Amino acid sequence: MDAGKMTVSINKAINTQEAAVKEKHARTCILGTHHEKGAQTFWVAVNRLPLSSNAVLCWKFCHVFHKLLRDGHPSVLRDSLHYKNELIDMSRMWGHLSEGYGQLCSIYLKLLIIKMEFHTKNPRFPGNLQMTDRQLDEAGENDVNNFFQLTVEIFDYMEWELNLFHTVFKSLDMSRSVSVTAAGQCRLSPLIQVILDCSHLYDYTVKLLFKLHSCLPTDTLQGHRDRFMEQFQKLKDLFYRSSNLQYFKRLLQIPKLPENPPNFLRASALSEHISPVVLIPSENSPPDSESLIETEDLVGMDTLSHQSLSENTFDDIFGSSFSSDPFNFSNQNGMRRDDKDHLIEQLYKEIAMLRDELGNFKSENHRLVTNLKGRIQELEAELAEQKHLREQAVDENEFLRTELEDLKRKREDTEKAQKSLTEIERKSIANEQRYTKLKEKYAELVQSHAELLRKNAEVTKQVTMAREALVDMEHSKKELEDSYQRVNEHTQRKAHEQIQEMDQLQGALEYRKQEVHLLKASIEASKQEGQVRVMELKESVIDRVLQEAESIIQESMRQLDEPQYSSGTISTDFLITRTLAAVQSTEKMEEAWKSHMADPSDISLLLLPLVQFAHRISHVIIQGAQTTTFDRLSDGCRTCGTEALSYLSSLRKNETEGKVDCSRVTAALKHITEIAQELRPPSLDIREEKLGDLVEKEMAATAAAVETAATRIEEMLTKSRTDDTGVKLQVNERILGSCTDLMQGIQALILASKDLQKEIVESGRGAASQKEFYAKNSRWTEGLISASKAVGWGATVMVDAADLVVQGQGKFEDLIVCSHEIAASTAQLVAASKVKAEKNSGNLSRLQLASKVVNQNAAGVVASTKCVMSQIEEKDTMDFSSMTLTQIKRQEMDSQVRVLELENELQKEREKLGELRKKHYDLAGVSEGWGDAAE
């Protein structure tokens, strides 16, 4: 059988006519699957059909596909699994229709999907579900768990079969004889396959349940029995209703189920079970109107053809000689009557084949016309959608053009506002500078006023004390009357003098108040004269910056001769880098001064290069002294500082551009570079050879320092418990206890670091020795040494601070700062060790865990310290009820003065801390070898 004939049969079987599928077309499709051993041709033809747009077409497809799954080649299931997702989507789509064939197609597609899944999971079951008891046992592999699961899957399969059965009957009008109409037969014909499936599924369910009841407790299978009872009643009812329909009576014999369901609790009831068998007659093709019409046409065609052959065309077929003797027609040329009948029958067959081909051609043509019309409708809909999208795009383009014009207009307004804002900011900066100057003068005046108030308060306090002394003396004994008189006279005289002095101070205070009023008046006048003094302020600022730059360089030159700065700890490469940076800063300074001479209105472009120039020269001088003790380099640094001071001095004199030249400073810096290059050490091998010993010494020293610190804390805690009592004992125990935990954590950290260090050396040195490994990784070794030193130093400082706090002589802030430093040093040690360690190293994990413990203990020290500070802090209870308005005003001014002093001190300390951190960073970088080109 060729693929073309099978495709024609598929198109005839699956058409849009609401009539049952012809059995001969379905049989041809089944034979075609066996011939090609698969369903490729079937799916190629089906994919061309509009199943998603015609419900009757989809319903007939489900019927044919069901037949192929039951009676087709076993490979039909394998080829159909590729289209499972399309069937699922189609079922979901038809499920949205609640009338007609929509719900029927959705449920039927779902049933076919369940059937495919069932046979995929259970390949021993054939498509038609016909199995012997032995094959059923083999399907479960004699395992009760497999039988249990198989029963559940058969229940699910049966559920969808019954659901389709019920939905078809529900969609029919049973009050009329719908089974004899073409539309009714179209809906009822797929139920033949459902009845065949249900009879086998019911039989297998009964046998499996009896087998399960023989192996499992009855309570476990209660759900199975309930589900079987429900399906038994539904199936019995549907079989009964189907057997009464005329359509089914002449096609198959539907079995009757027993009145009562089997009793699974009685094992002998299995022998009473009779398997339902569906009987199908040999000729089960339903007659249809088209076959009757074809038969009548064929009979008429036989008559006409017979007459035509006997009268007209016989001579054309057999030749003219056959008609010469009409009385001997059957014997001419040996032609017999049987041969003519055979030829006539052959012609009839050819005519019938031509009729079939013509019908196939017409149906194919009709299908193509339908597809083309559908395609035209789709293209028209797509064209309408494109037109709609084009209109939307035009509207959106117009909207965007309008929005772009608004944005351009807003941008122009923003630029104008930005220009005006820049002008306002420039004026605001100038006013802020003038206000700062006046504020400083006012602060000085307020400070002098506060000093007078403090003196007045001291005098008042002395008078009060004198008066209290007089009251005490009045109550003394009589034998001290003489001495009391003398003391009283002396006290009165002293009080009189103090009162006079207080009056003088009050007069001075009034005078200061007048000065304040005068100063306020001068402030108002100076606002009007501010524009005139701008240039003077700029010149004074430049002069002050020049003076500060000279003082910075002079301070560095003074430190040049001090012995602690001639240690030779800075590398020559680092000094060369600093010198080159100073040369660049000198060139920028010269360009900035030239720009300032051309436009002296803007001094912001001059101040930054000037400050950088002073600091870079100072760094070169100081670090040149720290590089080596060579006198030639020290002389070069001193010459550079002298030339820089000379250059700044010429700038202070405001000389012209032609007379101010920084070439001598540049030459001095280049001379220092040449000397440093000559002094560069040839090799670092000797220093690196000592790194191995130095690592061991530093780690041992750190461990010893931490152990000593822990011992001292234990001693202090024991002594405090012996000598102190009450709140002081609680405070000391809390602080020293948290410090003890921290020291124990640091000890564990040091041990973990040693173990990880040994592991790193063993895994990384290979055949080399331990010293050679440290020499090869000198930078990492120096970082490890630095981190170890920091941890040991932090522990020692914390013990000293805790000792002072316990004695009442230290500050709690020292403990907080030491805790922070220890946490930072711990992080540095972990980072230095983690660089060379393996990612999954157990020692690294222990080191990180020890680091977390140290951080938690450090946080515990900080928390304990803050808690203790809050306990022993003296909180003054201020009573202002007896103070007058003038006294409160004085106290308020004193508080303001104190606030200004503390803010000034805080700002200075922050600046100092920043400089210290910068210097620490530079020195740490040098000690780690950041500027060493050999590394």
Side-chain angles (χ1 to χ4, degrees):
M1 181 182 293
D2 57 350
K5 187 174 182 180
M6 183 177 178
T7 303
V8 172
S9 298
I10 293 172
N11 292 329
K12 287 183 177 181
I14 306 174
N15 54 39
T16 57
Q17 296 178 2
E18 193 174 2
V21 177
K22 293 183 179 180
E23 187 65 25
K24 61 180 180 179
H25 299 319
R27 188 181 300 110
T28 303
C29 296
I30 294 172
L31 294 176
T33 60
H34 287 279
H35 182 267
E36 69 174 3
K37 298 181 180 180
Q40 293 88 353
T41 304
F42 171 76
W43 283 108
V44 170
V46 167
N47 287 333
R48 298 173 183 172
L49 301 176
L51 300 180
S52 300
S53 58
N54 194 313
V56 176
L57 201 66
C58 183
W59 177 254
K60 288 190 171 184
F61 157 73
C62 295
H63 186 188
V64 175
F65 184 42
H66 197 173
K67 280 178 170 290
L68 293 183
L69 289 176
R70 280 186 51 84
D71 303 325
H73 193 271
S75 298
V76 172
L77 176 62
R78 180 195 61 198
D79 296 339
S80 302
L81 288 175
H82 301 295
Y83 303 93
K84 179 180 176 182
N85 293 330
E86 286 80 352
L87 297 178
I88 293 173
D89 296 336
M90 194 183 305
S91 173
R92 188 180 297 111
M93 186 269 295
W94 284 116
H96 295 296
L97 298 179
S98 59
E99 297 179 356
Y101 282 90
Q103 287 293 327
L104 295 177
C105 292
S106 176
I107 296 175
Y108 205 169
L109 287 169
K110 184 63 179 176
L111 170 60
L112 295 176
I113 294 168
I114 294 296
K115 182 177 180 64
M116 292 167 63
E117 293 177 351
F118 176 81
H119 289 290
T120 303
K121 293 180 181 177
N122 304 280
R124 295 179 182 270
F125 281 81
N128 55 10
L129 298 176
Q130 294 181 3
M131 298 177 64
T132 62
D133 295 344
R134 181 179 179 181
Q135 291 175 339
L136 183 63
D137 294 337
E138 292 177 354
E141 298 179 356
N142 293 324
D143 187 356
V144 67
N145 295 320
N146 294 339
F147 286 127
F148 189 92
Q149 182 63 28
L150 180 59
T151 306
V152 174
E153 294 175 359
I154 292 178
F155 277 142
D156 296 338
Y157 192 178
M158 177 74 84
E159 192 72 31
W160 283 100
E161 297 273 9
L162 297 176
N163 193 8
L164 177 62
F165 220 136
H166 176 73
T167 307
V168 170
F169 276 124
K170 185 178 179 182
S171 65
L172 296 175
D173 187 3
M174 303 304 293
S175 63
R176 297 182 299 167
S177 300
V178 294
S179 64
V180 297
T181 62
Q185 292 176 3
C186 182
R187 299 193 183 190
L188 290 174
S189 59
L191 296 185
I192 297 175
Q193 312 300 320
V194 176
I195 293 173
L196 294 174
D197 287 344
C198 289
S199 62
H200 292 297
L201 293 176
Y202 169 77
D203 184 32
Y204 299 154
T205 304
V206 173
K207 294 177 180 179
L208 288 174
L209 284 177
F210 273 111
K211 188 178 294 293
L212 288 175
H213 277 79
S214 64
C215 300
L216 296 176
T218 57
D219 295 340
T220 306
L221 299 173
Q222 181 63 42
H224 283 46
R225 291 197 298 274
D226 295 341
R227 195 170 182 183
F228 175 81
M229 288 295 297
E230 180 182 357
Q231 292 185 358
F232 174 79
Q233 296 298 333
K234 290 181 180 180
L235 184 61
K236 181 180 178 181
D237 179 63
L238 292 174
F239 275 7
Y240 175 76
R241 294 173 65 182
S242 301
S243 61
N244 292 329
L245 293 177
Q246 187 65 29
Y247 177 73
F248 290 122
K249 286 182 178 180
R250 59 188 180 81
L251 293 179
L252 74 166
Q253 182 178 352
I254 301 175
K256 292 184 180 180
L257 297 182
E259 292 295 329
N260 298 319
N263 186 6
F264 300 108
L265 301 179
R266 186 167 57 86
S268 60
L270 177 61
S271 60
E272 302 174 1
H273 168 68
I274 301 175
S275 300
V277 178
V278 180
L279 299 178
I280 301 176
S282 59
E283 282 296 329
N284 58 355
S285 298
D288 48 65
S289 60
E290 183 178 351
S291 61
L292 294 175
I293 293 172
E294 290 179 356
T295 305
E296 293 174 358
D297 292 343
L298 187 60
V299 171
M301 191 68 184
D302 290 343
T303 306
L304 292 175
S305 298
H306 184 70
Q307 293 175 358
S308 177
L309 286 171
S310 62
E311 295 178 359
N312 298 323
T313 62
F314 191 81
D315 293 339
D316 296 334
I317 297 174
F318 298 100
S320 58
S321 60
F322 294 111
S323 61
S324 59
D325 188 4
F327 300 99
N328 194 19
F329 179 78
S330 60
N331 295 324
Q332 292 178 357
N333 293 329
M335 179 65 69
R336 296 188 302 273
R337 183 70 179 179
D338 294 337
D339 295 334
K340 291 187 289 184
D341 293 339
H342 178 71
L343 180 60
I344 291 170
E345 292 176 359
Q346 184 177 359
L347 291 175
Y348 285 161
K349 292 181 181 178
E350 291 179 358
I351 291 171
M353 291 177 61
L354 291 175
R355 284 180 178 276
D356 292 339
E357 291 179 359
L358 180 61
N360 294 336
F361 177 75
K362 288 181 179 180
S363 62
E364 182 70 17
N365 187 23
H366 177 69
R367 186 181 64 80
L368 292 175
V369 170
T370 304
N371 292 340
L372 291 175
K373 288 182 180 179
R375 181 58 180 168
I376 291 172
Q377 292 177 358
E378 292 178 0
L379 292 175
E380 289 177 353
E382 186 176 356
L383 179 60
E385 184 178 0
Q386 293 296 331
K387 290 180 179 179
H388 180 65
L389 292 176
R390 186 177 65 83
E391 293 176 358
Q392 286 184 347
V394 172
D395 296 339
E396 187 176 358
N397 189 15
E398 186 66 25
F399 173 74
L400 291 176
R401 187 181 293 108
T402 306
E403 193 174 22
L404 179 60
E405 293 176 357
D406 294 340
L407 290 175
K408 288 181 179 179
R409 187 167 52 256
K410 290 181 181 179
R411 181 181 178 183
E412 293 175 357
D413 297 340
T414 304
E415 290 178 353
K416 293 179 181 179
Q418 187 67 25
K419 292 180 180 178
S420 61
L421 179 61
T422 304
E423 185 66 21
I424 292 172
E425 288 180 351
R426 188 180 61 79
K427 293 180 180 180
S428 175
I429 291 172
N431 292 332
E432 186 69 22
Q433 293 177 353
R434 292 194 296 272
Y435 174 73
T436 303
K437 295 292 184 183
L438 295 175
K439 186 178 179 181
E440 291 177 355
K441 293 183 179 180
Y442 179 73
E444 293 177 357
L445 183 60
V446 170
Q447 188 174 2
S448 61
H449 182 215
E451 189 68 26
L452 291 175
L453 289 176
R454 281 196 294 272
K455 290 182 179 180
N456 188 13
E458 292 177 358
V459 173
T460 305
K461 185 176 180 180
Q462 291 178 3
V463 172
T464 303
M465 292 174 63
R467 289 177 180 174
E468 291 177 356
L470 288 174
V471 174
D472 293 337
M473 289 179 183
E474 288 177 358
H475 297 284
S476 0
K477 294 182 180 180
K478 294 182 180 180
E479 59 268 15
L480 300 176
E481 288 180 357
D482 295 336
S483 111
Y484 171 74
Q485 284 296 123
R486 290 194 299 271
V487 173
N488 190 15
E489 292 174 358
H490 177 71
T491 304
Q492 289 179 354
R493 183 169 61 254
K494 186 175 180 180
H496 182 68
E497 293 175 356
Q498 292 177 350
I499 290 171
Q500 290 179 354
E501 185 178 357
M502 185 178 65
D503 293 337
Q504 293 176 1
L505 291 174
Q506 289 180 351
L509 179 61
E510 294 295 331
Y511 175 73
R512 290 295 184 183
K513 289 181 179 180
Q514 294 177 1
E515 287 184 352
V516 170
H517 291 297
L518 293 175
L519 180 59
K520 289 182 179 179
S522 65
I523 290 172
E524 295 295 331
S526 63
K527 289 182 179 179
Q528 300 176 358
E529 299 174 357
Q531 297 295 334
V532 180
R533 297 183 59 191
V534 170
M535 296 305 297
E536 297 178 359
L537 289 174
K538 289 181 179 180
E539 293 177 359
S540 63
V541 168
I542 294 175
D543 187 65
R544 287 175 59 188
V545 173
L546 288 171
Q547 291 179 3
E548 184 66 23
E550 290 180 356
S551 63
I552 290 173
I553 296 175
Q554 289 174 358
E555 179 65 20
S556 62
M557 293 182 66
R558 183 184 61 79
Q559 296 176 359
L560 187 62
D561 297 328
E562 295 181 4
Q564 62 269 26
Y565 287 95
S566 300
S567 58
T569 59
I570 303 299
S571 66
T572 55
D573 291 332
F574 191 69
L575 175 61
I576 292 172
T577 304
R578 288 292 189 182
T579 307
L580 294 176
V583 171
Q584 294 178 359
S585 179
T586 305
E587 295 174 355
K588 291 181 181 179
M589 174 61 199
E590 185 176 9
E591 294 175 359
W593 180 258
K594 291 179 181 179
S595 300
H596 173 68
M597 294 302 295
D599 183 14
S601 60
D602 190 2
I603 65 172
S604 61
L605 300 177
L606 176 63
L607 298 180
L608 181 60
L610 181 57
V611 174
Q612 289 181 351
F613 169 76
H615 282 285
R616 295 277 173 81
I617 295 296
S618 176
H619 290 166
V620 169
I621 295 172
I622 295 175
Q623 292 169 3
Q626 295 179 353
T627 300
T628 182
T629 57
F630 191 54
D631 294 337
R632 184 182 173 190
L633 183 58
S634 299
D635 294 339
C637 294
R638 190 175 289 105
T639 302
C640 179
T642 304
E643 294 297 338
L645 290 175
S646 176
Y647 176 65
L648 294 176
S649 177
S650 62
L651 294 180
R652 286 188 61 191
K653 294 177 181 178
N654 199 14
E655 296 182 3
T656 60
E657 182 179 356
K659 294 182 180 180
V660 178
D661 188 9
C662 64
S663 60
R664 301 181 65 181
V665 179
T666 305
L669 291 172
K670 292 181 178 179
H671 181 63
I672 293 174
T673 303
E674 295 174 356
I675 297 174
Q677 290 178 351
E678 294 176 0
L679 295 177
R680 177 181 291 178
S683 176
L684 298 176
D685 294 339
I686 299 175
R687 180 175 64 87
E688 291 177 351
E689 290 178 358
K690 298 179 180 179
L691 284 175
D693 298 334
L694 187 58
V695 171
E696 298 296 333
K697 291 180 181 179
E698 289 300 332
M699 294 298 291
T702 301
V706 173
E707 186 175 359
T708 303
T711 304
R712 287 184 58 190
I713 290 177
E714 292 291 340
E715 293 176 355
M716 287 187 288
L717 183 59
T718 303
K719 183 178 179 182
S720 175
R721 290 173 179 173
T722 305
D723 300 340
D724 301 331
T725 56
V727 178
K728 187 175 182 181
L729 178 59
Q730 295 178 2
V731 169
N732 293 344
E733 284 184 346
R734 190 160 193 170
I735 293 176
L736 295 177
S738 59
C739 292
T740 300
D741 296 338
L742 179 58
M743 291 303 149
Q744 293 176 354
I746 293 175
Q747 286 179 338
L749 177 71
I750 296 299
L751 293 176
S753 177
K754 285 183 177 181
D755 295 338
L756 180 59
Q757 178 187 348
K758 292 179 181 179
E759 179 183 339
I760 292 172
V761 173
E762 292 297 331
S763 61
R765 66 186 180 91
S769 62
Q770 183 174 356
K771 294 183 179 180
E772 290 176 352
F773 175 79
Y774 286 126
K776 182 180 179 182
N777 302 275
S778 58
R779 182 174 295 180
W780 172 77
T781 305
E782 291 173 353
L784 187 64
I785 292 172
S786 177
S788 178
K789 284 183 179 180
V791 173
W793 175 81
T796 304
V797 173
M798 168 164 277
V799 173
D800 296 336
D803 192 8
L804 293 176
V805 168
V806 170
Q807 294 177 7
Q809 301 175 1
K811 298 179 180 180
F812 292 103
E813 288 80 4
D814 294 340
L815 290 176
I816 296 175
V817 174
C818 289
S819 300
H820 292 165
E821 288 297 328
I822 289 175
S825 302
T826 301
Q828 181 183 358
L829 180 60
V830 174
S833 301
K834 190 177 180 181
V835 171
K836 295 292 183 180
E838 295 292 337
K839 183 177 181 180
N840 300 323
S841 175
N843 291 324
L844 177 60
S845 301
R846 287 193 292 273
L847 179 62
Q848 291 175 342
L849 180 61
S851 173
K852 291 180 181 179
V853 173
V854 171
N855 290 334
Q856 293 175 359
N857 293 338
V861 173
V862 174
S864 301
T865 304
K866 290 182 179 180
C867 181
V868 169
M869 289 171 63
S870 63
Q871 288 181 358
I872 66 175
E873 184 182 14
E874 296 181 0
K875 298 181 180 179
D876 298 332
T877 56
M878 300 180 182
D879 185 11
F880 303 115
S881 59
S882 61
M883 298 178 65
T884 62
L885 179 61
T886 304
Q887 292 174 345
I888 291 176
K889 186 63 178 179
R890 289 177 180 175
Q891 292 290 338
E892 182 180 353
M893 294 181 68
D894 291 340
S895 298
Q896 291 178 355
V897 170
R898 183 59 179 164
V899 168
L900 291 174
E901 291 176 354
L902 293 176
E903 288 179 350
N904 190 18
E905 292 178 3
L906 178 61
Q907 184 64 26
K908 290 181 180 179
E909 287 297 327
R910 283 178 174 170
E911 293 176 356
K912 182 179 178 181
L913 178 61
E915 293 298 327
L916 288 173
R917 285 177 175 172
K918 289 180 181 178
K919 190 64 178 177
H920 176 265
Y921 180 78
D922 293 339
L923 294 177
V926 172
S927 63
E928 294 293 336
W930 295 350
D932 196 350
E935 287 290 321

